[in-house]
Amino acid sequence: MKTAQTGTLVAAVVASGLMAGLFAAFAYAVMPGLRGTSDHTLVATMQGINRSILNPVFMLPFVGSIPLIVLAVFFAWRGHGRAALPWLVAALVLYLVAFVVTGAANVPLNDELERAGDPDSIGDLAAVRERFESAWVTWNIVRALLHSAAFACLVWALVLYGADRFSAGRAATPPSYETGTPLRTGPALSTQDGHEAGR
């Protein structure tokens, strides 16, 4: 069970970290980079990103983080590392809220942008951009902060879990004696000891 618990927690940290990094990169690099481009460039670029990102490499950690964190909570509740449990629960709540933000805010904006059609045939690109960009950027910052907070909670939970396992391992290890003098483990006595005992 310890091996499964450790593997689940590590996987949850990695998967949530990938998502925190992705959305944070959009917040501090991608969208600021597109801010100064033309309406056509922004609309075409975001349409292309929204189509290409729907792949297993994205979906697996994005959706898979949830059952991983749930399983990590279960293991902490049933097994070792109970000190990490509150942080795991906090990570789960934060991740779920971020997931809802994506589904309720960013995804509908992506869908609306896609329905606008080919940028070459859109009559008013500026209006399409205006309806999309500001709201999408705002909600992306919100989910980036939530995902980052969830990731931080999971990292700290992993630290606490590791400390708990280390303490448990030390407590289970018997003390060693390095005096250089062999211990007498049997009832036999040396001849000298026998003479001394008979005096």
Side-chain angles (χ1 to χ4, degrees):
M1 182 173 176
K2 288 183 180 179
T3 301
Q5 184 176 4
T6 302
T8 299
L9 186 50
V10 170
V13 169
V14 172
S16 66
L18 289 172
M19 291 301 97
L22 172 67
F23 297 129
F26 269 95
Y28 62 69
V30 177
M31 300 313 293
L34 289 173
R35 185 183 303 140
T37 63
S38 66
D39 298 335
H40 184 283
T41 298
L42 183 137
V43 171
T45 300
M46 290 306 297
Q47 283 182 339
I49 290 174
N50 292 335
R51 294 186 197 114
S52 64
I53 203 171
L54 297 177
N55 62 75
V57 178
F58 166 76
M59 295 303 296
L60 185 61
F62 179 57
V63 178
S65 291
I66 296 175
L68 284 172
I69 301 173
V70 169
L71 194 56
V73 169
F74 173 77
F75 279 137
W77 176 62
R78 289 288 304 271
H80 301 274
R82 289 297 293 269
L85 183 58
W87 295 96
L88 291 170
V89 172
L92 179 60
V93 171
L94 288 165
Y95 197 96
L96 288 174
V97 173
F99 193 87
V100 170
V101 167
T102 296
N106 293 92
V107 170
L109 288 167
N110 292 340
D111 293 341
E112 183 181 350
L113 188 68
E114 184 66 25
R115 286 193 298 269
D118 189 332
D120 293 328
S121 61
I122 296 175
D124 192 353
L125 275 169
V128 172
R129 176 177 187 168
E130 184 179 358
R131 288 194 301 269
F132 173 82
E133 184 178 18
S134 179
W136 196 94
V137 167
T138 299
W139 285 112
N140 181 69
I141 291 173
V142 171
R143 67 177 175 178
L145 292 172
L146 289 167
H147 276 286
S148 297
F151 174 64
C153 289
L154 285 170
V155 169
W156 186 240
L158 182 60
V159 171
L160 294 176
Y161 170 71
D164 183 76
R165 286 205 61 177
F166 179 75
S167 299
R170 291 195 64 180
T173 303
S176 60
Y177 300 95
E178 299 180 355
T179 61
T181 304
L183 297 177
R184 294 176 181 171
T185 57
L189 299 174
S190 67
T191 304
Q192 182 179 357
D193 290 339
H195 290 163
E196 291 177 353
R199 291 180 181 176

